[in-house]
């Protein structure tokens, strides 16, 4: 890749909010010469992050699609965002996205692009902390046994604040102010966002056919947790965290999202604030722990930028898993105690 080639490619940005704004800031600060030619927003008169090319703002998606060679989707939602991405992909354009909701819920529509390697979505799971790449890459050298992960920064932040005696609504408002929460924060606190992310991880490493509906049906959030329950968990140094798990059960891979009790010795018990953590167990590699920031403007923009540079260099995006991983013989998954 030459920097000249980067600068000659016209990028179309769908959304310039928390993440889109931070991406423009990173591009400007690094002097990468990336040319953001069109930026789709709802309200062009809103104040924008420094680096957003205000002359490129538009409310017309057709202008963005027609005038751009690579599309970066950071508007969110499963409708228009997905339709625009699919049109761009069908037109032979590479697409970068941080949108786990649309990929989890409309995965089959994206299958041709996934197979072609023209879709990039590292930022969709654990923001700038690697999750998609290892599960679609190096960890495929092992047969998977199970996975447990803290995948929602907003819930992790709220649970940490509840531990200090803060109330739920204040903690959620602060998570929103910090740019962690979804536009509709019920997606965070009801576990749906974590379920979207878990669905992607499960399909990349365990079973490409795992349905969104099956994961959604096994999902619970954190609204019902009381200060007394949180305090009780802390008495022996443990913590309550919202954890997504994939594990073998009854001859199939199962996925669930629910608040669980983590004893102090558990590898995920140290995750605080917006940090996420992913614990993978594979037959040859053993236990692998990946932790880092899982929400917020800059950490997410970091992964989007990395994907964008890959797209500009025509390096392929993550490849889909072709068939379900075999069920491990006689393996007992490590149980986690759900907090009802
Ligand atoms: N925030 C985070 O920590 C993370 C977010 N993500 C994902 O990144 C994506 C973006 O999130 P975030 O930046 O926080 O969201 P924001 O709500 O801050 O930004 C959304 C942007 O999209 C624009 N937009 C939304 N709908 C439309 C529409 N119908 N037509 C035109 N423009 C539209 C908005 O325009 P306007 O500004 O005019 O309102 C805004 O600029 C989401 O998919 C989210 O799940 C992924 C990882 C982490
Ligand atoms: N709302 C999400 C943002 C990142 O995906 C979260 O809180 O984790």
């Amino acid at each position: 890749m030459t920097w000249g080639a980067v600068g000659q490619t016209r990028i179309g940005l769908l959304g310039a909010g928390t993440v889109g704004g931070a991406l423009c800031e990173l591009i400007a600060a690094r002097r990468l010469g990336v040319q953001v030619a069109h930026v789709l927003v709802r309200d062009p008169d809103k104040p924008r992050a420094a680096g957003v090319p205000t002359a490129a703002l538009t409310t017309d998606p057709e202008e963005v699609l027609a005038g751009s060679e690579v599309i970066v989707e950071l508007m969110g939602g499963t409708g228009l965002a997905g339709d625009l991405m699919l049109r761009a992909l069908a037109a032979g354009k590479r697409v970068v996205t941080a949108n786990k909701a649309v990929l989890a819920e409309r995965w089959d529509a994206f299958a041709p692009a996934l197979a072609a390697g023209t879709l990039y979505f590292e930022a969709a799971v654990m923001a700038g902390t690697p999750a998609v790449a290892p599960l679609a890459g190096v960890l495929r050298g092992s047969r998977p046994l199970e996975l447990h992960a803290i995948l929602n920064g907003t819930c992790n932040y709220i649970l940490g604040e509840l531990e200090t005696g803060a109330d739920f609504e204040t903690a959620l408002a602060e998570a929103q102010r910090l740019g962690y929460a979804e536009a509709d924060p019920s997606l965070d606190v009801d576990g749906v966002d974590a379920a979207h992310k878990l669905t992607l991880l499960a399909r990349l490493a365990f079973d490409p056919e795992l349905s969104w509906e099956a994961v959604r049906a096994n999902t619970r959030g954190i609204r019902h947790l009381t200060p007394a329950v949180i305090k009780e968990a802390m008495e022996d140094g443990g913590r309550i965290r919202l954890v997504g798990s994939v594990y073998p059960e009854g001859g199939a891979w199962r996925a669930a999202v629910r608040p669980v009790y983590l004893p102090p010795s558990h590898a995920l018990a140290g995750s605080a604030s917006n940090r996420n953590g992913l614990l993978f167990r594979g037959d040859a590699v053993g236990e692998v722990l990946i932790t880092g920031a899982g929400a917020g403007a800059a950490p997410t923009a970091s992964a989007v930028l990395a994907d964008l540079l890959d797209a500009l260099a025509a390096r392929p995006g993550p490849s889909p898993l072709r068939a379900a991983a075999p069920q491990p013989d006689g393996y007992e998954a490590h149980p986690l105690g759900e907090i009802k």
Side-chain angles (χ1 to χ4, degrees):
M1 175 181 69
T2 67
W3 294 123
V6 168
Q8 284 155 23
T9 306
R10 292 188 309 277
I11 314 296
L13 185 56
L14 305 176
T18 303
V19 183
L23 175 68
C24 291
E25 280 182 349
L26 270 189
I27 288 172
R30 305 263 161 90
R31 299 178 196 278
L32 290 174
V34 168
Q35 188 196 146
V36 180
H38 303 277
V39 182
L40 181 71
V41 292
R42 273 179 299 223
D43 177 2
D45 297 325
K46 246 189 202 174
R48 301 284 162 191
V52 175
T54 45
L57 292 174
T58 176
T59 56
D60 180 6
E62 301 307 324
E63 188 189 317
V64 184
L65 284 193
S68 313
E69 292 144 295
V70 171
I71 295 292
V72 179
E73 185 277 308
L74 298 171
M75 59 191 279
T78 57
L80 179 62
D83 296 344
L84 295 175
M85 287 162 68
L86 288 167
R87 281 178 57 196
L89 290 162
K93 296 172 193 191
R94 288 173 191 271
V95 171
V96 175
T97 183
N99 187 336
K100 53 274 172 168
V102 73
L103 295 183
E105 296 191 23
R106 297 176 68 182
W107 182 257
D108 289 348
F110 289 95
L114 287 160
T118 52
L119 181 62
Y120 304 77
F121 55 97
E122 182 61 59
V125 185
M126 290 174 56
T129 302
V132 170
L135 287 182
V138 66
L139 294 176
R140 286 203 182 146
S142 284
R143 284 184 168 179
L145 300 173
E146 60 185 306
L147 175 152
H148 302 280
I150 293 173
L151 295 170
N152 186 268
T154 301
C155 287
N156 216 46
Y157 178 83
I158 292 172
L159 291 171
E161 289 298 293
L162 295 181
E163 287 169 357
T164 70
D167 70 87
F168 192 98
E169 291 308 326
T170 306
L172 172 57
E174 185 60 4
Q176 289 178 291
R177 192 190 66 77
L178 290 166
Y180 302 159
E182 296 301 301
D184 172 4
S186 66
L187 294 174
D188 296 292
V189 298
D190 292 333
V192 178
D193 176 74
H196 283 143
K197 294 164 176 168
L198 187 70
T199 303
L200 301 186
L201 297 182
R203 287 178 187 153
L204 286 173
F206 294 84
D207 183 355
E209 302 293 330
L210 197 77
S211 77
W212 161 241
E213 290 71 22
V215 183
R216 180 69 184 93
N218 260 347
T219 294
R220 289 177 353 102
I222 64 165
R223 279 187 208 267
H224 62 292
L225 297 177
T226 61
V229 168
I230 303 275
K231 209 168 151 209
E232 194 186 326
M234 290 169 70
E235 272 164 14
D236 68 352
R239 287 197 149 134
I240 293 174
R241 289 290 178 260
L242 186 71
V243 172
S245 300
V246 187
Y247 51 92
E249 191 182 75
W253 293 109
R254 306 276 177 214
V257 173
R258 69 286 186 231
V260 299
Y261 169 75
L262 297 176
S265 59
H266 195 280
L268 295 175
S271 288
S273 186
N274 67 335
R275 288 179 76 82
N276 283 188
L278 185 158
L279 181 67
F280 174 88
R281 290 196 181 96
D283 65 348
V285 72
E287 192 168 293
V288 174
L289 177 67
I290 304 170
T291 64
T300 310
S302 168
V304 175
L305 179 57
D307 273 352
L308 176 57
L309 293 175
D310 277 349
L312 289 170
R315 286 187 285 269
S319 58
L321 194 65
R322 287 182 194 280
Q327 290 288 299
D329 263 350
Y331 178 76
E332 289 286 326
H334 298 53
L336 291 173
E338 177 173 351
I339 305 294
K340 300 278 185 190

